[in-house]
């Protein structure tokens, strides 16, 4: 892992960590060295290391486990996708989610385990009882991510992990503005029931019903998207 050099500290630390991951210095499942050691190797402060790790955790590249340390989830470089996601508007995020979630629901109906179902019920309960914008956004995003995890497609999951942070931010913003009514609990409950039955068509329909009302409301408010 090479030192940061002249780039801005946090950006440089992220780039150096991504380079180390791409070169195979760590593999998915490996535990990263402690903050003190990484700060020495990168030539930055521990605060910078902490911020870089937080950014990569947000993207799904790393995972922090309380009391255990930070572990590698993905070795893909998220920088290009991060830049594009950062420029996306909320409607683009919902359109992308619709494509991801409908297909993931079909796969999950065929591949989910009993553990997946138990986790989804727990996450759905948390979603249905979250009131504050930030808590609701986190609970909703966690539920949809769990559906993708149940789909059993690692490439799809990798993409969604990069995407889910931006989805969480968009959901929080809409909840705070209170101008777009979200779909409510029923389609999410229908989705879990369809997954339990192994009904792929019903699961896909429920996944679309969970997203479509918000997307349609945004389209009515904003009009047709401008071509770039």
């Amino acid at each position: 892992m090479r030192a940061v050099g002249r780039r801005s500290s946090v950006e440089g630390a992220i780039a150096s960590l991504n380079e180390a991951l791409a070169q195979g210095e760590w593999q998915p499942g490996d535990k990263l060295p402690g903050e003190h050691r990484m700060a020495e190797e990168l030539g930055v402060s521990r605060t910078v290391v902490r911020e870089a790790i937080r950014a990569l955790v947000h993207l799904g590249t790393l995972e922090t486990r309380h009391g255990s340390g930070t572990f590698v989830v993905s070795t893909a470089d998220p920088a290009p996708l991060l830049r594009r996601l950062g420029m996306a508007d909320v409607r683009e995020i919902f359109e992308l989610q619709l494509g991801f979630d409908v297909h993931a629901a079909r796969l999950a109906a065929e591949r989910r385990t009993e553990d997946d179902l138990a986790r989804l019920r727990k996450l759905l309960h948390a979603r249905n009882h979250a009131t504050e914008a930030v808590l609701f956004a986190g609970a909703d995003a966690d539920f949809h991510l769990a559906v993708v995890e149940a789909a059993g497609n690692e490439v799809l999951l990798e993409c969604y992990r990069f995407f889910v942070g931006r989805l969480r931010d968009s959901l929080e913003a809409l909840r705070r503005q209170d101008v777009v009514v979200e779909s409510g609990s029923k389609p999410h409950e229908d989705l879990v029931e369809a997954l339990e039955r192994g009904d792929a068509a019903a699961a896909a329909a429920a996944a679309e019903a969970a997203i479509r009302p918000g997307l349609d409301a945004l389209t009515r408010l904003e009009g047709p998207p401008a071509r770039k």
Side-chain angles (χ1 to χ4, degrees), residues 200-211:
E208 180 164 1
I211 303 164

Side-chain angles (χ1 to χ4, degrees), residues 54-102:
R54 184 178 292 117
L56 293 175
V57 167
H58 185 68
L59 287 168
T61 302
L62 303 177
E63 177 184 43
T64 299
R65 302 173 191 168
H66 183 69
S68 298
T70 301
F71 294 81
V72 178
V73 174
S74 167
T75 57
D77 182 358
L81 182 57
L82 174 60
R83 286 192 293 270
R84 186 62 192 91
L85 282 175
M87 295 184 291
D89 60 35
V90 174
R91 179 167 53 190
E92 288 178 315
I93 294 299
F94 277 19
E95 288 174 345
L96 183 58
Q97 184 192 13
L98 183 63
F100 275 138
D101 282 28
V102 170

Side-chain angles (χ1 to χ4, degrees), residues 129-210:
H129 289 81
T131 54
E132 295 181 16
V134 64
L135 296 178
F136 172 81
D140 188 81
D142 287 346
F143 173 84
H144 288 281
L145 177 60
V147 174
V148 179
E149 289 174 340
N153 184 307
E154 291 300 319
V155 177
L156 179 61
L157 179 58
E158 188 103 343
C159 293
Y160 210 87
R161 280 175 173 153
F162 284 130
F163 161 76
V164 74
R166 187 68 175 84
L167 172 62
R168 188 179 294 111
D169 293 342
S170 298
L171 290 166
E172 181 182 348
L174 288 180
R175 191 78 166 189
R176 289 187 186 282
Q177 293 167 8
D178 198 26
V179 294
V180 174
V181 178
E182 54 91 17
S183 60
S185 62
K186 188 178 186 308
H188 295 79
E189 292 165 356
D190 290 345
L191 174 55
V192 175
E193 290 174 5
L195 296 180
E196 186 171 11
R197 297 193 308 271
D199 189 334
E208 180 164 1

Side-chain angles (χ1 to χ4, degrees), residues 87-126:
M87 295 184 291
D89 60 35
V90 174
R91 179 167 53 190
E92 288 178 315
I93 294 299
F94 277 19
E95 288 174 345
L96 183 58
Q97 184 192 13
L98 183 63
F100 275 138
D101 282 28
V102 170
H103 187 54
R106 288 184 181 277
L107 294 176
E110 300 168 356
R111 302 173 180 175
R112 94 292 180 278
T113 65
E114 290 302 317
D115 286 344
D116 291 327
L117 290 173
R119 182 164 179 251
L120 283 166
R121 292 189 192 100
K122 182 177 179 180
L123 291 171
L124 180 57
H125 181 271

